[in-house]
Amino acid sequence: MSVDLNQTYIDPQDPTYQPLLEDLQGNILKGHERNYSAHIFVKFKSEHEAARKWISHFGENFVTSAKNQIEYSAKYKQSEGTESGGLFAGFLLSYKGYKALGFDLKGKSEKGKFPCWNFLVGLPSLAVQQKLEDPPVEEWEEGFQDEIHAFILLADNDRDNLAKQAKQIVEEVGRVAEIVHTEVGIVLKNKKGQIIEHFGFRDGVSQPLFLKEDIELAKEQGTDLWDTSAPLELVLVKDPFGEGEHSFGSYCVYRKLEQDVRGFREAERELAKKLRLSDQDVERAGALVVGRFRDGTPVTLSPSEQNSDTVPNNFNYDGDRDGMKCPFHAHIRKANPRGDKNDKYQTLEEHRQRRIVRRAVSYGEMPNARDNSLSKLSLFENQLEHLKELKVQPASGEKVGLLFLCFQRDIFNQFMFMQKNWANNQHFVNYTTGLDGIAGQGKKQIEGQAWPKEWGKDEKVPFDFYHFVTMKGGEFFFAPSISFLKNISAIAVK
Ligand code: HEM
């Protein structure tokens, strides 16, 4: 029986979903939950027969299925974090990657067609760059300026094992492909062991949820104001080269986003001064930028941190129509308007269909990390070594940021829409709202964003707060089904 993608609340034990979960890559329906990551970007050599053989071997022996990952997650929870779970591996292809492997993507048959226009042109294309107001490709990090065919994602809780396996895989894939770029990432945690990003805010809080267990947990705080559950169709599409009716994949957006932590903190202090915030209220400046305090408390619900272990997510902006508690330009209000009634063009249901699944991880690298005299392999080894030293507070001169990665059914209607029509759009949700203070990029603001002087009171102060995040490169990928990867050598190509 084929799977109904309108379904949510998926029970992984239900036989209806077993074939899908066995053939789907992990990290899509649920995060891989490993602390250390290595991202390897490759360009296939012209002899694509050998490359396809290697991919088939990698798909067979390394790539982690959604099923295995869900089982791992249950064991990890039971062991209270002591079980390492071993290596997680994913394999994703860019459109140029499919072409380099000889796939005919323009054929007349339905098979082999990717109906996602953005995937076809790629993130580095001028068309996408202009739409997103990204920096020109010549300003991206060198490795990202090269053609990227595939993205190998490795992750582990055991840093040494990750380093060992990653080096071995780089050596193996190096026989059939050129390593064009590498990144390493780490899950940053605060003193309480909660996940944060480099500006110090709790991250990975509000996500679309698909699995029964995750939805049950979220339901404990109620779903009357915001329902976190999401149908499979929010992220899954048929794999055009998949084996059968249970073969699905997902589109992935990858962007390296550098964070100017010092600039952000200085502007935060300036904003606090401008709003005359003192003592414990000072923290509210940052909360107005993000829409949540550093401990995750939504500023639309409270004027101060609540320090609760469960971060509230059952809320919307109905009680804050004038943006007097959470400004309209706050990052989470821009990225997920939750049916904001100020939006004259789209309904709650439409906002819900724009959601993305975020699987980002933080990074940090010393100023000499991108030394051009180093081979790609030595650079990768240095990066893996540096993982040992990465801390929440960046060392002096260290470049830090987020390896932003998200999954969706359609890049145009989800990530692109969110970035272009919401974060970068100074007139969303209202005329002269301004840029998203975190993710907004592009033109200088027409007017300063307006900030509530007192929480919930009717006076706003203008102040410019934006451009502390810079895009350094990336690409659009597709995470194909595992059966496709395993059988890739047998699929007829040009
Ligand atoms: C360095 C860049 C970024 C940082 C530091 C950052 C940080 C955060 C933080 C702290 C949260 C609140 C906690 C949470 O719900 O997980 C959040 C939520 C979110 N972010 Fe970002 N973010 C960044 C870039 C982006 C980009 C580029 C997008 C998409 C265009 C995005 C989309 C979202 C979404 C959809 C949410 C959840 C909103 C909600 O459901 O309430 N973020 N981000």
Side-chain angles (χ1 to χ4, degrees):
M1 201 177 71
S2 69
V3 170
D4 176 4
L5 291 187
N6 286 314
Q7 293 302 312
T8 182
Y9 199 71
I10 306 303
D11 179 357
Q13 306 304 325
D14 181 340
T16 321
Y17 298 108
Q18 296 266 316
L20 179 146
L21 297 174
E22 276 167 24
D23 204 14
L24 182 71
Q25 296 199 41
N27 203 31
I28 301 169
L29 298 181
K30 192 177 178 75
H32 60 58
E33 297 176 329
R34 267 75 163 181
N35 289 327
Y36 305 102
S37 300
H39 299 166
I40 304 157
F41 300 92
V42 303
K43 177 159 85 178
F44 301 121
K45 294 179 181 164
S46 51
E47 179 36 70
H48 60 64
E49 194 76 4
R52 288 194 285 130
K53 268 201 188 117
W54 183 84
I55 295 170
S56 167
H57 154 82
F58 191 72
E60 186 80 51
N61 298 294
F62 285 92
V63 175
T64 312
S65 69
K67 179 172 181 282
N68 281 347
Q69 189 213 326
I70 292 164
E71 283 168 5
Y72 152 80
S73 172
K75 274 197 219 144
Y76 185 64
K77 235 171 250 149
Q78 269 167 14
S79 77
E80 291 179 351
T82 52
E83 172 105 12
S84 123
L87 187 75
F88 173 91
F91 187 89
L92 296 89
L93 283 166
S94 69
Y95 184 73
K96 288 185 187 130
Y98 276 98
K99 283 203 352 201
L101 291 171
F103 286 94
D104 177 12
L105 304 169
K106 293 211 173 89
K108 283 210 174 100
S109 77
E110 270 313 300
K111 212 168 164 58
K113 281 195 180 157
F114 286 97
C116 180
W117 173 82
N118 293 102
F119 177 65
L120 267 56
V121 295
L123 181 62
S125 65
L126 194 62
V128 172
Q129 183 228 314
Q130 285 177 343
K131 278 206 163 55
L132 296 180
E133 300 182 69
D134 276 344
V137 176
E138 305 79 67
E139 289 174 21
W140 293 9
E141 263 173 28
E142 213 181 288
F144 283 121
Q145 294 184 26
D146 211 334
E147 199 166 288
I148 291 174
H149 292 163
F151 160 32
I152 302 167
L153 189 162
L154 305 173
D156 206 315
N157 281 325
D158 178 341
R159 194 172 37 199
D160 294 335
N161 190 45
L162 175 68
K164 192 173 121 211
Q165 303 252 26
K167 274 188 256 176
Q168 200 175 325
I169 289 165
V170 160
E171 232 173 77
E172 277 182 22
V173 71
R175 293 185 203 123
V176 298
E178 186 193 330
I179 312 295
V180 290
H181 193 71
T182 50
E183 294 287 350
V184 298
I186 184 168
V187 175
L188 292 181
K189 297 203 174 149
N190 62 16
K191 288 195 181 102
K192 286 185 169 174
Q194 299 155 334
I195 299 171
I196 55 170
E197 49 64 55
H198 275 291
F199 295 143
F201 294 82
R202 281 191 75 169
D203 203 1
V205 173
S206 178
Q207 295 274 23
L209 302 176
F210 306 90
L211 304 178
K212 181 180 162 195
E213 195 193 11
D214 297 336
I215 296 171
E216 287 291 344
L217 201 65
K219 268 188 179 166
E220 286 173 14
Q221 50 171 292
T223 54
D224 51 328
L225 301 176
W226 180 249
D227 178 4
T228 49
S229 69
L232 292 173
E233 65 172 8
L234 190 75
V235 274
L236 299 191
V237 289
K238 282 291 295 177
D239 180 349
F241 292 100
E243 267 283 272
E245 56 177 354
H246 297 287
S247 303
F248 290 91
S250 187
Y251 291 102
C252 166
V253 173
Y254 189 98
R255 286 162 76 81
K256 180 173 187 179
L257 302 175
E258 189 171 295
Q259 293 175 251
D260 172 5
V261 175
R262 184 180 291 203
F264 182 94
R265 298 245 181 201
E266 267 167 28
E268 205 184 333
R269 278 194 294 274
E270 281 302 307
L271 176 61
K273 255 199 244 159
K274 180 104 186 181
L275 299 175
R276 296 180 202 269
L277 302 177
S278 55
D279 305 325
Q280 72 270 33
D281 280 343
V282 169
E283 270 297 304
R284 197 157 69 241
L288 296 171
V289 176
V290 173
R292 289 185 186 269
F293 286 86
R294 283 193 163 76
D295 76 342
T297 307
V299 72
T300 195
L301 295 185
S302 163
S304 56
E305 295 201 322
Q306 296 300 298
N307 279 310
S308 63
D309 283 337
T310 319
V311 184
N313 203 28
N314 179 27
F315 68 92
N316 59 31
Y317 300 101
D318 283 0
D320 192 13
R321 286 284 298 270
D322 300 321
M324 294 302 179
K325 296 170 183 166
C326 177
F328 300 123
H329 52 74
H331 176 52
I332 66 160
R333 193 161 182 170
K334 279 274 196 180
N336 184 3
R338 300 178 183 232
D340 192 333
K341 305 273 191 318
N342 290 291
D343 185 356
K344 294 175 208 71
Y345 304 102
Q346 298 204 24
T347 59
L348 166 65
E349 203 30 60
E350 283 159 321
H351 291 164
R352 288 178 67 74
Q353 287 171 19
R354 308 272 176 213
R355 288 179 295 165
I356 51 174
V357 163
R358 292 172 297 134
R359 302 288 182 236
V361 63
S362 293
Y363 74 88
E365 55 196 22
M366 295 315 286
N368 58 356
R370 297 277 164 197
D371 181 348
N372 285 343
S373 64
L374 289 177
S375 72
K376 290 273 158 61
L377 193 63
S378 323
L379 169 65
F380 188 44
E381 283 177 350
N382 283 359
Q383 288 177 301
L384 287 163
E385 196 54 31
H386 185 57
L387 262 182
K388 289 187 183 154
E389 290 148 38
L390 276 179
K391 300 207 175 61
V392 173
Q393 285 297 328
S396 146
E398 189 181 23
K399 291 197 166 147
V400 302
L402 202 64
L403 302 172
F404 178 84
L405 194 163
C406 69
F407 287 103
Q408 58 243 277
R409 170 195 51 213
D410 184 296
I411 296 174
F412 183 75
N413 285 315
Q414 292 169 270
F415 167 75
M416 289 278 290
F417 194 94
M418 194 176 280
Q419 181 73 55
K420 175 179 171 290
N421 296 38
W422 291 348
N424 297 357
N425 180 358
Q426 302 194 30
H427 303 303
F428 182 79
V429 62
N430 287 324
Y431 186 62
T432 67
T433 286
L435 292 167
D436 173 333
I438 301 271
Q441 49 179 36
K443 290 178 218 61
K444 244 179 104 33
Q445 272 181 177
I446 309 164
E447 287 181 25
Q449 295 127 322
W451 308 80
K453 196 159 176 210
E454 274 184 72
W455 189 81
K457 297 263 172 68
D458 196 14
E459 190 187 346
K460 285 191 184 172
V461 176
F463 185 81
D464 273 337
F465 199 116
Y466 57 96
H467 289 178
F468 296 109
V469 170
T470 311
M471 203 291 223
K472 291 289 173 183
E475 183 50 292
F476 295 147
F477 297 96
F478 186 71
S481 58
I482 298 177
S483 59
F484 161 74
L485 296 174
K486 286 182 185 167
N487 298 330
I488 190 167
S489 280
I491 301 175
V493 292
K494 283 188 283 190

